[in-house]
Amino acid sequence: MDNGKLKIKWAGSQMKVLEKIKQRFAKDKPLKGITLGACLHVTAETANLMLTLQSGGAKLALCASNPLSTQDAVAESLNKNFDIPTFAKKGEDRKTYYKHLNKVLDFHPQITMDDGADLITLLHTERKSQLKEIVGSSEETTTGVIRLKAMKEKGDLKIPVMAVNDSQTKHLFDNRYGTGQSTIDGIIRATNVLLAGKNFVVCGYGWCGRGISEKARGMGAHVTVTEVDPVRALQAVMDGFEVTSLSVACQKADIIVTATGNKNVLGRDLFKLLKNGVILCNAGHFNVEFDYENLVKIAKQITKVREFLEELVMPDNKKVFVLGEGRLINLVAAEGHPPDVMDLSFANQALAAEFFVKNKGKLKNDIYTIPEKQDIEIARLKLESMGISIDQLTKEQKHYLSSWNEGT
Ligand code: ADE
């Protein structure tokens, strides 16, 4: 068996909830007659989502949602072994990246899936004539959902969308445990540095930042969190992390990870404060969180030290090490989130596609979330697959929770 197929098979063996959905889809064919275009990180986990949708009867086309995140063996295997047109090559340039997105839209999908909202953006800009063909579009990530909410706010959203990220069984697990583990994995694979004893700064204390902070602390790093949101900053304080401004934190940082979903968090004004030998990397969706472009511009010398590790010599002779050109390090240098947690995220994606078909013609150009019942069902199935049983409310307890007159 080729390497890609083996990777897909192994990942699939860890995705028990998705497997259950796949079996039901194979029987009921809820996506029969649907063409679905996906722009997701082309990984072994995504391949298993594609196979689930295919077993539900969908015709598929897939492209990458980041130029550096593709697992080439997986892309090849999807094309060769599974008859799923996949347009993705690790390291593709920006022009090729957009050519691939356009190839997916050339299939005229009725449902799209995004991780970062690039297909939806293309549909609302260069390919507006296809908007009327769309039944619904789902979005995987925090950054993408932020974009969609901005579109809705401005009255620019012309299709129904599903914010998969907003499901409890997505962001509470994928963002926290998935990004947490895979970001540490990416940093270690790119550098092979010891984390114990390092001053490790995490910018942003959303669910991703939380996960990264927890895992870095677990490896023995001294973790400092930076935030702009007072509530999140307070949470970080009470979770036991040091919290301060980035301009203070960056002066002693050995490693800085951005996970904010925003741009220029670490900009030119802070470069001169960085310690000699600092390692910079990003775990957010886009490569704009620290100003890589300007770092490269002002560097006197750039040397590739290892795959995905560059040494930049600054005008004052300090060395700054940058990982993966500022692109999301967990997918660039490692393999993204493990399949066990993508199981939950992609169960949500598969059910989102089914939701769009079931509600075709009834939805507004609005942002939807997976019905709570299904969100809870995904958690129940996951527990079941792990062999974990939980308690049930008694009749008396249910009654107590739905009444108000039993007091002190
Ligand atoms: N996003 C983060 N990790 C991922 C993975 N393993 N596959 C697809 N998308 C991801």
Side-chain angles (χ1 to χ4, degrees):
M1 214 187 284
D2 66 56
N3 195 19
K5 203 169 173 185
L6 278 170
K7 266 177 85 84
I8 294 169
K9 203 165 174 237
W10 165 251
S13 72
Q14 310 299 309
M15 301 175 87
K16 299 282 194 319
V17 179
L18 197 61
E19 178 59 31
K20 277 228 148 105
I21 295 173
K22 187 176 167 196
Q23 285 167 9
R24 179 171 66 76
F25 274 18
K27 213 159 34 77
D28 301 346
K29 300 282 176 205
L31 307 178
K32 195 162 167 241
I34 293 288
T35 299
L36 190 151
C39 176
L40 300 169
H41 299 297
V42 179
T43 64
E45 293 72 36
T46 297
N48 280 285
L49 170 63
M50 293 298 112
L51 296 178
T52 303
L53 301 167
Q54 190 181 49
S55 77
K59 205 177 128 201
L60 301 164
L62 171 67
C63 64
S65 58
N66 186 290
L68 272 183
S69 64
T70 299
Q71 296 170 2
D72 286 335
V74 169
E76 206 181 303
S77 177
L78 284 171
N79 276 310
K80 194 176 78 186
N81 302 314
F82 299 105
D83 205 19
I84 297 176
T86 302
F87 308 97
K89 181 93 190 130
K90 186 160 185 147
E92 62 194 18
D93 60 18
R94 192 182 149 78
K95 198 168 148 223
T96 312
Y97 175 79
Y98 276 99
K99 188 176 90 188
H100 287 162
L101 262 79
N102 276 296
K103 283 205 177 218
V104 165
L105 292 183
D106 288 345
F107 282 77
H108 288 267
Q110 292 110 29
I111 295 179
T112 67
M113 274 180 191
D114 262 313
D115 188 332
D118 282 342
L119 279 182
I120 291 185
T121 303
L122 207 52
L123 281 166
H124 282 75
T125 51
E126 289 162 40
R127 306 204 44 153
K128 283 187 187 143
S129 65
Q130 280 180 244
L131 283 169
K132 59 181 180 306
E133 299 167 15
I134 301 291
V135 173
S137 294
S138 60
E139 169 52 46
E140 169 82 3
T141 198
T142 317
T143 307
V145 172
I146 291 172
R147 258 197 197 183
L148 297 178
K149 288 184 177 162
M151 282 173 91
K152 168 81 180 43
E153 194 70 12
K154 293 197 159 72
D156 293 335
L157 186 67
K158 304 293 179 214
I159 51 176
V161 295
M162 175 69 78
V164 166
N165 188 67
D166 290 357
S167 295
Q168 295 196 75
T169 49
K170 201 284 184 179
H171 67 267
L172 293 179
F173 301 90
D174 169 312
N175 300 22
R176 185 174 186 176
Y177 306 107
T179 310
Q181 177 168 318
S182 62
T183 300
I184 301 297
D185 186 12
I187 294 169
I188 292 173
R189 289 201 210 190
T191 62
N192 197 26
V193 295
L194 183 75
L195 296 187
K198 292 282 189 304
N199 289 322
F200 192 105
V201 174
V202 180
C203 307
Y205 204 66
W207 290 110
C208 293
R210 248 168 245 220
I212 299 165
S213 304
E214 280 166 1
K215 301 300 170 203
R217 175 158 65 187
M219 299 289 283
H222 303 295
V223 179
T224 301
V225 170
T226 71
E227 246 304 339
V228 289
D229 178 327
V231 176
R232 287 182 174 183
L234 191 57
Q235 283 177 310
V237 171
M238 296 212 180
D239 285 342
F241 295 108
E242 194 175 326
V243 175
T244 186
S245 65
L246 184 53
S247 59
V248 171
C250 76
Q251 297 183 43
K252 61 169 191 172
D254 299 306
I255 300 172
I256 303 178
V257 185
T258 49
T260 66
N262 213 332
K263 70 191 286 193
N264 274 338
V265 174
L266 201 165
R268 199 175 175 143
D269 52 323
L270 297 183
F271 292 167
K272 57 184 178 306
L273 299 178
L274 296 171
K275 199 165 99 175
N276 184 36
V278 67
I279 294 170
L280 298 186
C281 67
N282 169 47
H285 184 79
F286 290 115
N287 59 336
V288 294
E289 301 214 5
F290 65 84
D291 191 357
Y292 175 66
E293 231 172 74
N294 255 315
L295 262 181
V296 167
K297 241 184 236 164
I298 63 175
K300 288 202 302 189
Q301 192 188 320
I302 302 177
T303 315
K304 182 174 169 181
V305 182
R306 287 161 63 102
E307 205 184 6
F308 313 123
L309 170 56
E310 288 172 310
E311 175 193 282
L312 279 65
V313 181
M314 295 290 107
D316 59 1
N317 289 324
K318 267 189 309 202
K319 287 179 183 171
V320 172
F321 294 97
V322 174
L323 307 191
E325 300 169 15
R327 297 196 184 274
L328 66 195
I329 196 60
N330 60 335
L331 279 137
V332 171
E335 295 174 68
H337 305 354
D340 332 40
V341 80
M342 290 313 292
D343 189 24
L344 296 168
S345 316
F346 284 166
N348 275 283
Q349 285 284 12
L351 296 185
E354 188 180 32
F355 173 89
F356 284 134
V357 175
K358 277 191 178 155
N359 293 285
K360 188 176 167 185
K362 290 186 238 160
L363 301 174
K364 293 191 285 217
N365 297 337
D366 208 344
I367 300 173
Y368 291 84
T369 45
I370 286 275
E372 196 187 358
K373 237 175 123 175
Q374 284 182 335
D375 204 357
I376 291 169
E377 178 63 6
I378 291 172
R380 196 192 64 74
L381 287 172
K382 189 70 179 175
L383 285 168
E384 190 181 278
S385 78
M386 296 164 90
I388 295 167
S389 50
I390 60 169
D391 295 328
Q392 309 282 333
L393 288 175
T394 61
K395 234 177 163 179
E396 184 198 14
Q397 286 172 328
K398 273 189 196 162
H399 177 73
Y400 180 72
L401 290 177
S402 61
S403 58
W404 59 271
N405 40 5
E406 246 186 86
T408 312

